[in-house]
Amino acid sequence: MKDSAYFEQLENNPRNPSHWHALFLDSSIPFNPDAKAAFLYDSSRRTKQFLYPFVKVFARLGIILLQVFKAIAPNIINAPQRLHRWLYRGMKYCITPEANFLILRHFYLGSEVLRFIKDNVKDIEDIPMHPLKPVSVNAVKDDLFLQHDLNLYNFIINLNNALKAKGKTITKVDEPDFSAITVGPLPFEPFRNKWSNCIDLATAIEIFTPVYQFFLTDSDFWRASNSLQLDEVIGLYAATIMNCPERLVALNNKHPMIPLPTYGAAFRLTLHGLSTEVLHALLVEQKLKQAAAN
């Protein structure tokens, strides 16, 4: 699997500069170097350039047709366990190691961000948490994707109910508690890297999205699709605690009060992953600054 060393050792050709090399070196937004390298290398694969455009068209057409079917029979199919077995097989045998790395990081980092917010809301302790910290693709079989969506909604509901009950709001914290935030590498097991592991992340997400829709009820898929816009909500909570709202420039999934059509869910899922990486990297950055100051 490609990490930051792959891009760090590249030499620039002024007559033919690399788009991906330039983006890796750009530091306008915080981003873990290894995750950024994995994201950019995966995006540079030929499947993204030549396969993705065709998959995108057929996958989105499939979502529209399934939406018609679900409007007629919204609950006739409800098989989340079967869904996750399909996702597990696809991840293990078909998608790239970089894509698997980024997917598992997303769940891991998302749990840390929610815990950070909980730890820094004063006098609010009775918020149940269900952290997801997978270290291998085997964890996907335990309804990982569906539980991630539920975690986001339940956290926002439980947090705001607790705040309302005590007449409090989320406020700036002078010395935030960053104990939930991991600075170093995450303990992932090695990812399979055979000839069949060739599908890049964006193409895989386009393929997975109608599969996700097929195996879930209409309400479950609608909720999952809309959860992708909760980035702005979670980002605002964290930025309020750290008093740095200007750093949310890369959280661009738009506010969830204006839901977007489900056929664009795959693209927004990619943005969702990007937003989580940026927000977690911002927390790591602030944690290191606080440690250095103390």
Side-chain angles (χ1 to χ4, degrees):
M1 191 188 79
K2 296 296 187 292
D3 57 16
S4 58
Y6 172 81
F7 286 97
E8 289 168 352
Q9 65 188 9
L10 290 179
E11 294 186 8
N12 181 45
N13 179 358
R15 296 290 297 172
N16 185 27
S18 166
H19 173 72
W20 312 108
H21 190 199
L23 289 178
F24 177 80
L25 295 176
D26 169 61
S27 59
S28 58
I29 59 174
F31 214 112
N32 176 274
D34 288 335
K36 191 175 189 180
F39 189 90
L40 293 174
Y41 181 79
D42 191 70
S43 297
S44 71
R45 288 179 179 271
R46 295 179 70 83
T47 56
K48 177 63 183 295
Q49 182 178 359
F50 297 107
L51 181 61
Y52 173 76
F54 298 99
V55 169
K56 178 179 177 180
V57 172
F58 288 106
R60 297 192 179 193
L61 178 60
I63 290 174
I64 294 171
L65 295 175
L66 281 171
Q67 189 68 67
V68 175
F69 170 72
K70 295 288 186 176
I72 300 170
N75 301 315
I76 194 171
I77 300 175
N78 184 21
Q81 291 184 339
R82 183 168 295 182
L83 163 67
H84 283 83
R85 286 197 293 270
W86 275 87
L87 294 175
Y88 161 73
R89 294 189 191 101
M91 289 176 64
K92 182 173 183 178
Y93 297 108
C94 298
I95 74 174
T96 65
E98 290 80 13
N100 278 321
F101 171 72
L102 292 167
I103 291 171
L104 294 193
R105 270 183 65 86
H106 176 71
F107 297 119
Y108 209 105
L109 303 189
S111 292
E112 292 195 348
V113 169
L114 295 185
R115 183 69 200 194
F116 165 80
I117 295 170
K118 179 180 184 295
D119 289 344
N120 288 281
V121 178
K122 300 299 183 181
D123 303 320
I124 303 294
E125 298 178 357
D126 53 342
I127 303 175
M129 303 291 288
H130 193 295
L132 301 173
K133 295 193 172 183
V135 296
S136 75
V137 294
N138 289 326
V140 172
K141 292 184 284 188
D142 296 327
D143 291 353
L144 190 66
F145 285 80
L146 186 60
Q147 187 60 53
H148 173 65
D149 298 333
L150 296 175
N151 281 357
L152 286 171
Y153 282 107
N154 288 329
F155 178 79
I156 292 172
I157 291 170
N158 292 329
L159 173 63
N160 284 279
N161 278 337
L163 288 169
K164 184 178 180 180
K166 295 194 175 183
K168 296 182 177 294
T169 61
I170 299 175
T171 58
K172 172 189 173 184
V173 177
D174 292 330
E175 291 285 332
D177 179 356
F178 289 103
S179 59
I181 303 301
T182 300
V183 174
L186 302 181
F188 296 134
E189 297 178 7
F191 298 105
R192 184 179 186 270
N193 189 18
K194 304 295 185 180
W195 67 269
S196 61
N197 296 101
C198 61
I199 304 298
D200 66 274
L201 178 64
T203 304
I205 289 174
E206 290 286 352
I207 296 170
F208 286 169
T209 301
V211 175
Y212 204 89
Q213 181 185 20
F214 177 80
F215 282 110
L216 296 182
T217 65
D218 183 62
S219 61
D220 282 344
F221 180 70
W222 179 254
R223 183 185 63 240
S225 176
N226 288 336
S227 74
L228 303 174
Q229 291 176 260
L230 294 175
D231 297 329
E232 186 167 338
V233 173
I234 299 300
L236 286 171
Y237 292 167
T240 300
I241 292 168
M242 295 185 293
N243 193 33
C244 58
E246 72 282 355
R247 303 299 299 277
L248 300 182
V249 62
L251 276 63
N252 52 7
N253 248 336
K254 310 305 179 184
H255 199 279
M257 288 185 68
I258 305 177
L260 298 173
T262 55
Y263 61 75
F267 178 69
R268 287 188 285 114
L269 181 54
T270 307
L271 287 178
H272 176 57
L274 179 72
S275 297
T276 300
E277 286 285 354
V278 172
L279 179 56
H280 189 272
L282 175 60
L283 294 174
V284 169
E285 179 184 283
Q286 296 299 313
K287 179 176 183 176
L288 294 175
K289 285 182 178 179
Q290 181 173 291
N294 294 333

